[in-house]
Amino acid sequence: MHKIRSYTVLPSLPESLKSLKTIAMNLFWTWNSEFVDIFHHVDPELWEKHGHNPIKLLGSISQTRLNALAENEGFLYQLRQAEEKLNVYLNSPGWFNKQIKDGQNPLVAYFSFEFGLHETLPIYSGGLGILAGDHLKSASDLNLPLAGIGLMYQKGYFRQYLNADGWQQERYTDNDFYNMPLEIVRKRSGNPLTISVGYPGRRVLSQIWKVAVGRITLYLLDTNIAANSPEDRAITASLYGGDSEMRIQQEILLGIGGFKALLAMGLEPTVCHMNEGHAAFMALERIRHIRNTLNVSFDEALEATRVSNVFTIHTPVKAGNDEFNLSQMDKYFSTYFPALGINRKQFLGLGRIDPNNESENFKMPVLAIRLSDHRNGVSKLHGKVSRGMWSEIWPGLPVDEVPITSITNGVHAKTFVSAELNRLYERYLGFAWAENITDEEMWNDIDQVPDEELWRIHQRNKESLITFARRRLRAQLERRGSFHTELGQAEQVLDPEALTIGFARRFATYKRGNLLLREPERLAKMLSHNERPLQIIFAGKAHPRDAEGKEIIRQIIHFVSKYDVRRRLVFLEDYDIDVARYLVQGVDVWLNNPRVPMEASGTSGMKAALNGVINLSTLDGWWVEGYKPDGGWVIGAGETYDDMNYQDSVESQSLFNLLENEVIPLFYTRATDKLPRAWIRRMKNTLKWCAPRFNTYRMVREYTERFYLPADLKWRYLQQENLSRVRALSGWKQNLRQNWSGIKIRDVDVRVEQGNVLAPLDTKHPELEVGANLRITAEVELGKVDPGDVAVQIYHGFIDSWRNINGAKTVQMAYKQKAAVEGAHIFEATLPCESSGQCGFALRIMPQNQDMTDPYEPGMIIWESTNGQAT
């Protein structure tokens, strides 16, 4: 092979334009429309041609044009204004600076398999990545000390195109890293900084790229370097490509390599956040690092790190989560787990629902759950679903108490609100509306916006969408080699005056992109209506191996052809952030119809809502919290069915009825001034309810207040005095586990206090009046366990028809004295009867220690049994 010497060519900018490069290299420009205007002004045609990539734009612009801009006083003024805005932003304190205590210096590491920041950095596939990107942007706005960790994919996610039959095809294109807004992390010598990760029989090197996202940095690992074998260079080739072997290699690089990369750069996080289970191996590497640096046992290192690990669950079905078979785990970790100080069974048990089931595969979410003290779903409903899905990890614990909470997702407003709408918000809500976005009172001022002005901006956004869709559709037809007449028809699709529905998302079967096709004649009639036409824009990708998802796309294309509705129904290929922006800003209705409860959250509808677009959705994910009768519409009533075909039939009927009887008539009902006043009222109601609630400014603040800051404080607390508290806690737990089986509830005495009378509870006819009290005394055998190490609790609430306690609350029983039996103790409590109805209670014992963040240790719960034995 010929020897090749490589070098990088950089744009040659006149001195007065040097700040263009500075601005281009910080993705702050992606959420500030005036910055985008500057790059557009440089050369509008090249800006579009290069996919809104400012680095590529600056590298391809002619020197003549650059020299002309260097003399253009108007352009230079815009550039100075932008440079000043960026400098002020980077050097100003934010919300977070007011939250930390003196001397507190946290660092949050946010690990994610994908990040969707902008279309110029195509290392994302869908909602998970967009959420991660928005998380970083809001962390920057809040000035939260956070670093993102991910992988730099050479090919990113696949590019989508359809063949003549409507079948999805995939192609991969190489990312040109040196023409993107990122740079290599280098050592002082100038050479790239690399880290080494162990794989079977070899070490794999990875270099690190960094991306400036406002005030914070995203670090991306890349194995495509000459020192690696061709097979290892391909580890970071593509997102979600390859088989499970490739997946485990990528997840090892993300988790273990990502944590090593932070340390190599002198960054040791105090809090680690795993965005989905892909990054769960990070928690193992963090344990290994603590073991090696502080010379502690595995249990001690686990206690030290678990308190400040955060795990966000996204997938609402077990089958959708990553898991690896035992031969894979042996292949990749047989030399790793000894460094943790544990044996094979202990190691595999960390990733099993039942640690003793030696045939169970190793599940990444289970590993993340076991090694984190902070766990959450991404909507209230998803939190409930997750508690049920993973409840077996906590045997004996009621599902409602499973320690998985929820923090509902949001979106980064300035990224997805149209430029014109942003200016309207600045006029009526204040220039700092985005920083004050969670202020509900502020959003009430949207009522002061004249209907005419809001509608005029919305219509302009729709016209921009239609212009974009026509241009995109023509390019699609040209690629397929369509006839000239078809290309001309592309210029006539869609009507700016027609009711426009947007449906854009991953084409997974549960999202039911073909729900409207269940009654094709009925749909075709609505699309072809002369006076009140409906039009729909579809976009989205199916996973390359999801044949059913691809078939749904094909059905849509065939429907268009069969019923000749090309002017009213369009499928836009290669859905990405750019397409999403046009859609969420320009459609009238955002349609989302997943099968309940399969949608963990969904954020596309939130983006639409921030633009005044009205949502039409099933009661799933975020819409359970986002729906208001005067704002949007609900398909069905949130029911679930065993027969999915029946469920689809019922909900397609509901959708058609809504469209025909409510949505379409409301849109076309116009006042004498031709404005849809009632429709605009719903737009305003949508903004008032959704905007202050479903944004990442609120979301990241919630993560910070509920997880990051408490986790950081606990981490620092346990780190004191050479981990003496960790050692004590680990020893305490070990002693408790050894003696836990000897604990039982021996006897329970229940008496009724009614007025001044105290009498035994009538077990045959236990009827009490509101105002009575139950005086409960429990004799508990603890053996060698100290009474202060356990919490004896009354678990009480209303009894349902299945004899289960619903809406339970707990009352802590107070320690009274030693019992006559050796090793037994007396606990007492009073339970007031505050509401009428069928009530009940149960007694249980749980571990108790002030240094233990999570009292719900798996297996560490004892209930009073009907036969007197502990359960």
Side-chain angles (χ1 to χ4, degrees):
M1 181 178 178
H2 298 298
K3 182 176 181 178
I4 298 176
R5 291 181 171 87
S6 64
Y7 52 92
T8 304
V9 179
L10 301 174
S12 176
L13 297 174
E15 190 62 36
S16 60
L17 300 181
K18 292 290 187 186
S19 57
L20 270 175
K21 179 71 180 299
T22 303
I23 291 170
M25 288 298 290
N26 191 315
L27 293 185
F28 181 64
W29 66 264
T30 65
W31 68 91
N32 287 273
S33 58
E34 64 269 40
F35 287 52
V36 175
D37 290 342
I38 288 172
F39 294 124
H40 185 270
H41 189 169
V42 170
D43 190 309
E45 187 175 333
L46 282 178
W47 177 244
E48 293 299 328
K49 178 183 176 182
H50 293 316
H52 311 146
N53 183 339
I55 304 300
K56 206 162 188 178
L57 170 73
L58 297 179
S60 59
I61 195 75
S62 71
Q63 202 63 44
T64 302
R65 177 57 177 161
L66 287 174
N67 292 337
L69 289 170
E71 302 296 325
N72 186 322
E73 285 301 322
F75 180 80
L76 293 176
Y77 175 77
Q78 276 185 289
L79 186 58
R80 286 193 296 270
Q81 291 289 101
E83 184 180 21
E84 182 180 353
K85 181 175 181 178
L86 175 60
N87 288 332
V88 168
Y89 178 85
L90 294 178
N91 295 292
S92 299
W95 168 85
F96 183 78
N97 301 91
K98 301 173 184 177
Q99 312 306 311
I100 56 174
K101 298 180 180 179
D102 291 341
Q104 194 176 356
N105 186 30
L107 174 62
V108 179
Y110 183 86
F111 293 76
S112 183
F113 216 42
E114 50 176 300
F115 286 91
L117 291 156
H118 190 260
E119 59 266 26
T120 60
L121 198 62
I123 55 171
Y124 62 92
S125 71
L128 178 72
I130 306 301
L131 175 76
D134 285 2
H135 196 111
L136 297 194
K137 291 173 184 177
S138 284
S140 171
D141 290 340
L142 296 167
N143 205 20
L144 174 66
L146 180 144
I149 314 293
L151 302 182
M152 188 63 213
Y153 302 101
Q154 186 65 56
K155 298 178 184 297
Y157 201 48
F158 73 89
R159 307 300 299 271
Q160 177 200 53
Y161 66 98
L162 306 183
N163 66 17
D165 189 46
W167 190 258
Q168 175 182 289
Q169 307 291 302
E170 299 91 26
R171 62 184 173 87
Y172 290 87
T173 58
D174 276 1
N175 286 322
D176 181 0
F177 297 170
Y178 295 95
N179 267 318
M180 298 171 76
L182 47 88
E183 57 184 317
I184 285 279
V185 175
R186 299 184 183 275
K187 297 184 284 190
R188 290 184 180 178
S189 65
N191 294 324
L193 176 66
T194 60
I195 55 104
S196 171
V197 179
Y199 287 86
R202 69 200 191 277
R203 307 290 299 181
V204 176
L205 296 180
S206 173
Q207 62 186 0
I208 308 163
W209 296 86
K210 63 179 179 179
V211 183
V213 186
R215 295 176 171 118
I216 67 173
T217 305
L218 168 62
Y219 298 100
L220 301 166
L221 277 63
D222 168 25
T223 64
N224 187 16
I225 55 180
N228 292 329
S229 68
E231 293 77 16
D232 291 336
R233 294 180 72 162
I235 290 175
T236 53
S238 61
L239 173 63
Y240 302 129
D243 54 15
S244 64
E245 284 289 305
M246 179 58 73
R247 180 64 63 86
I248 195 172
Q249 291 178 31
Q250 289 184 330
E251 295 189 353
I252 287 170
L253 182 64
L254 173 63
I256 296 176
F259 191 80
K260 282 188 168 188
L262 288 172
L263 298 180
M265 293 182 290
L267 303 171
E268 181 162 0
T270 61
V271 178
C272 291
H273 187 164
M274 295 167 279
N275 187 41
E276 190 53 286
H278 307 301
F281 291 139
M282 176 281 302
L284 294 175
E285 182 62 17
R286 197 178 184 201
I287 289 172
R288 192 195 65 80
H289 170 67
I290 292 294
R291 256 181 58 78
N292 288 352
T293 54
L294 299 178
N295 191 29
V296 296
S297 69
F298 172 82
D299 287 340
E300 290 165 348
L302 171 59
E303 295 297 343
T305 57
R306 180 164 54 189
V307 295
S308 60
N309 284 341
V310 178
F311 173 45
T312 296
I313 306 164
H314 288 271
T315 309
V317 288
K318 286 181 181 177
N321 287 278
D322 286 345
E323 62 178 68
F324 302 108
N325 62 47
L326 305 188
S327 62
Q328 287 177 305
M329 295 307 296
D330 285 335
K331 177 180 176 181
Y332 287 95
F333 288 94
S334 61
T335 60
Y336 185 87
F337 65 74
L340 297 174
I342 54 178
N343 59 38
R344 179 180 181 272
K345 181 179 179 181
Q346 290 172 308
F347 173 73
L348 293 174
L350 294 172
R352 289 169 167 164
I353 294 175
D354 179 1
N356 296 313
N357 180 0
E358 298 192 7
S359 64
E360 184 181 339
N361 282 345
F362 190 94
K363 298 175 174 62
M364 295 297 282
V366 175
L367 177 65
I369 285 170
R370 289 195 186 279
L371 301 187
S372 303
D373 270 356
H374 306 276
R375 318 167 190 95
N376 71 284
V378 290
S379 68
K380 289 180 180 178
L381 177 59
H382 181 233
K384 180 180 179 181
V385 170
S386 298
R387 285 190 289 275
M389 190 165 74
W390 299 113
S391 61
E392 294 169 90
I393 296 175
W394 293 270
L397 192 66
V399 173
D400 288 346
E401 285 195 291
V402 167
I404 298 174
T405 182
S406 65
I407 293 180
T408 301
N409 282 345
V411 296
H412 187 257
K414 291 292 286 289
T415 294
F416 293 101
V417 166
S418 74
E420 286 203 60
L421 206 53
N422 173 57
R423 288 189 283 271
L424 179 138
Y425 292 163
E426 288 178 347
R427 288 198 303 275
Y428 288 94
L429 308 181
F431 189 76
W433 71 268
E435 290 95 67
N436 301 317
I437 191 170
T438 58
D439 183 355
E440 295 178 36
E441 288 298 318
M442 178 192 75
W443 284 100
N444 287 332
D445 290 341
I446 208 74
D447 286 333
Q448 305 306 315
V449 177
D451 288 354
E452 297 86 348
E453 191 170 359
L454 181 60
W455 188 248
R456 188 165 57 247
I457 288 174
H458 176 70
Q459 282 299 102
R460 281 202 290 267
N461 286 338
K462 188 194 283 190
E463 288 163 7
S464 295
L465 165 63
I466 291 174
T467 300
F468 171 81
R470 289 171 176 173
R471 187 170 64 243
R472 190 104 173 179
L473 184 60
R474 183 181 179 89
Q476 292 173 195
L477 293 172
E478 285 177 345
R479 183 192 50 74
R480 291 180 206 159
S482 299
F483 294 115
H484 183 73
T485 52
E486 288 184 281
L487 296 180
Q489 291 173 358
E491 302 296 333
Q492 302 173 29
V493 301
L494 306 176
D495 177 0
E497 300 299 323
L499 172 61
T500 306
I501 290 179
F503 182 98
R505 57 197 16 90
R506 183 165 54 89
F507 269 77
T509 51
Y510 78 85
K511 292 178 182 284
R512 299 188 296 186
N514 56 352
L515 190 64
L516 279 169
L517 302 186
R518 290 184 70 89
E519 294 195 48
E521 302 284 348
R522 196 172 176 186
L523 176 60
K525 184 178 179 181
M526 287 193 290
L527 294 170
S528 305
H529 199 285
N530 290 327
E531 297 177 359
R532 301 190 308 182
L534 175 70
Q535 58 191 20
I536 308 174
I537 303 176
F538 283 95
K541 298 177 178 180
H543 189 279
R545 291 191 294 274
D546 184 1
E548 291 181 283
K550 291 181 179 182
E551 174 59 24
I552 292 174
I553 296 174
R554 196 183 73 88
Q555 288 173 13
I556 293 170
I557 302 304
H558 278 233
F559 170 82
V560 171
S561 177
K562 180 179 180 180
Y563 290 92
D564 193 22
V565 288
R566 291 176 179 84
R567 290 195 61 224
R568 297 294 187 209
L569 196 153
V570 171
F571 187 95
L572 300 181
E573 297 175 10
D574 204 27
Y575 185 47
D576 65 359
I577 292 176
D578 190 32
V579 177
R581 272 196 303 268
Y582 279 102
L583 282 169
V584 299
Q585 293 169 9
V587 299
D588 299 303
V589 173
W590 194 259
L591 175 62
N592 185 32
N593 44 233
R595 290 192 191 99
V596 178
M598 303 292 285
E599 188 84 287
S601 175
T603 55
S604 58
M606 300 176 187
K607 301 178 185 85
L610 282 168
N611 285 282
V613 173
I614 305 173
N615 274 266
L616 169 59
S617 176
T618 53
L619 272 177
D620 202 7
W622 81 282
W623 193 233
V624 177
E625 303 162 58
Y627 168 66
K628 286 289 178 182
D630 58 356
W633 292 279
V634 165
I635 303 166
E639 308 98 335
T640 58
Y641 302 83
D642 294 329
D643 185 338
M644 289 190 293
N645 185 59
Y646 178 69
Q647 181 172 358
D648 293 351
S649 177
V650 168
E651 291 177 350
S652 68
Q653 286 294 316
S654 174
L655 174 54
F656 274 107
N657 291 338
L658 276 170
L659 289 171
E660 291 169 342
N661 300 322
E662 290 194 42
V663 180
I664 294 173
L666 186 71
F667 181 83
Y668 286 105
T669 298
R670 305 297 169 107
T672 54
D673 54 10
K674 298 185 178 180
L675 286 176
R677 297 278 182 180
W679 187 274
I680 296 170
R681 171 53 44 197
R682 280 186 179 253
M683 291 174 64
K684 290 182 175 180
N685 289 340
T686 291
L687 285 168
K688 287 191 292 184
W689 177 255
C690 293
R693 291 171 174 82
F694 302 103
N695 59 80
T696 45
Y697 198 93
R698 182 273 310 158
M699 183 192 81
V700 175
R701 279 179 56 173
E702 199 171 343
Y703 273 111
T704 303
E705 293 168 340
R706 291 176 54 188
F707 290 171
Y708 298 161
L709 286 176
D712 174 76
L713 290 173
K714 193 73 173 181
W715 162 263
R716 295 176 188 282
Y717 169 75
L718 292 178
Q719 290 284 309
Q720 295 172 6
E721 301 171 3
N722 194 29
L723 292 183
S724 61
R725 289 188 178 277
V726 168
R727 296 174 196 270
L729 180 60
S730 178
W732 175 84
K733 282 190 176 181
Q734 188 174 7
N735 177 68
L736 198 62
R737 289 192 189 100
Q738 290 174 350
N739 294 287
W740 192 253
S741 61
I743 297 177
K744 64 180 179 180
I745 299 172
R746 289 177 54 85
D747 185 46
V748 177
D749 179 66
V750 184
R751 296 180 181 272
V752 180
E753 184 180 43
Q754 190 96 38
N756 295 322
V757 178
L758 184 65
L761 178 68
D762 184 348
T763 55
K764 291 184 178 181
H765 305 287
E767 295 181 349
L768 309 174
E769 294 180 359
V770 172
N773 293 309
L774 293 178
R775 296 274 294 273
I776 304 169
T777 303
E779 183 178 333
V780 177
E781 187 172 315
L782 296 178
K784 297 179 181 179
V785 176
D786 188 273
D789 292 339
V790 298
V792 182
Q793 298 175 340
I794 303 171
Y795 180 85
H796 69 98
F798 290 102
I799 301 290
D800 63 19
S801 58
W802 297 95
R803 303 297 295 168
N804 294 318
I805 297 176
N806 283 338
K809 299 178 181 178
T810 58
V811 172
Q812 188 97 339
M813 299 187 77
Y815 179 71
K816 184 70 174 177
Q817 63 192 37
K818 287 185 177 180
V821 177
E822 181 68 24
H825 301 266
I826 304 298
F827 291 80
E828 288 185 347
T830 298
L831 182 63
C833 300
E834 297 174 327
S835 301
S836 60
Q838 184 75 19
C839 303
F841 71 88
L843 264 60
R844 69 183 185 186
I845 303 173
M846 300 179 67
Q848 176 177 263
N849 187 298
Q850 64 174 357
D851 289 341
M852 185 169 60
T853 305
D854 180 10
Y856 302 103
E857 283 282 333
M860 306 257 300
I861 181 169
I862 292 173
W863 294 88
E864 181 190 15
S865 174
T866 54
N867 61 10
Q869 299 298 312
T871 60

